[in-house]
Amino acid sequence: MADEFGELRDRLKRTYRRAADERGPSDDEIKDAFSTLTGAWSQVASAVTAALKDPDVRDQMKSAASSFAAAVGRTISELGTELTEGPLEEE
């Protein structure tokens, strides 16, 4: 997982440098933007960690995750049914 995120980081870095060279913001502007994003991410992570200490929040997250999993399952099942019943029709 660390290797995959490292590779993703490197690709994003190359993409941003290429965009900056062509038409984009300066290196300093990019650094400032990432600094802002890093700070915001840290605040979000802290808020989520604090919220997860609340049993009601944990229960609600479990319920939401279960609903999401059920919806994905239904979608996959419906797609499987459509694929086995014949060609997909374009809408």
Side-chain angles (χ1 to χ4, degrees), residues 16 20 23-37:
Y16 276 110
R23 69 195 174 321
S26 69
D27 283 346
D28 286 340
E29 290 171 321
I30 291 172
K31 287 177 186 176
D32 288 345
F34 274 106
S35 178
T36 299
L37 288 172

Side-chain angles (χ1 to χ4, degrees), residues 74-91:
R74 279 192 304 274
T75 300
I76 291 171
S77 179
E78 289 171 5
L79 178 60
T81 299
E82 287 180 23
L83 290 173
T84 58
E85 291 180 355
L88 293 176
E89 295 179 19
E90 291 186 29
E91 294 182 16

Side-chain angles (χ1 to χ4, degrees), residues 1-37:
M1 183 181 220
D3 289 343
E4 290 178 15
F5 276 105
E7 184 178 331
L8 177 61
R9 180 201 63 228
D10 292 344
R11 285 182 184 211
L12 288 172
K13 186 189 302 184
R14 286 191 302 269
T15 300
Y16 276 110
R17 287 182 193 264
R18 193 169 36 248
D21 288 344
E22 293 173 6
R23 69 195 174 321
S26 69
D27 283 346
D28 286 340
E29 290 171 321
I30 291 172
K31 287 177 186 176
D32 288 345
F34 274 106
S35 178
T36 299
L37 288 172

Side-chain angles (χ1 to χ4, degrees), residues 46 49 58-59 88:
S46 293
T49 299
R58 282 196 312 265
D59 289 344
L88 293 176

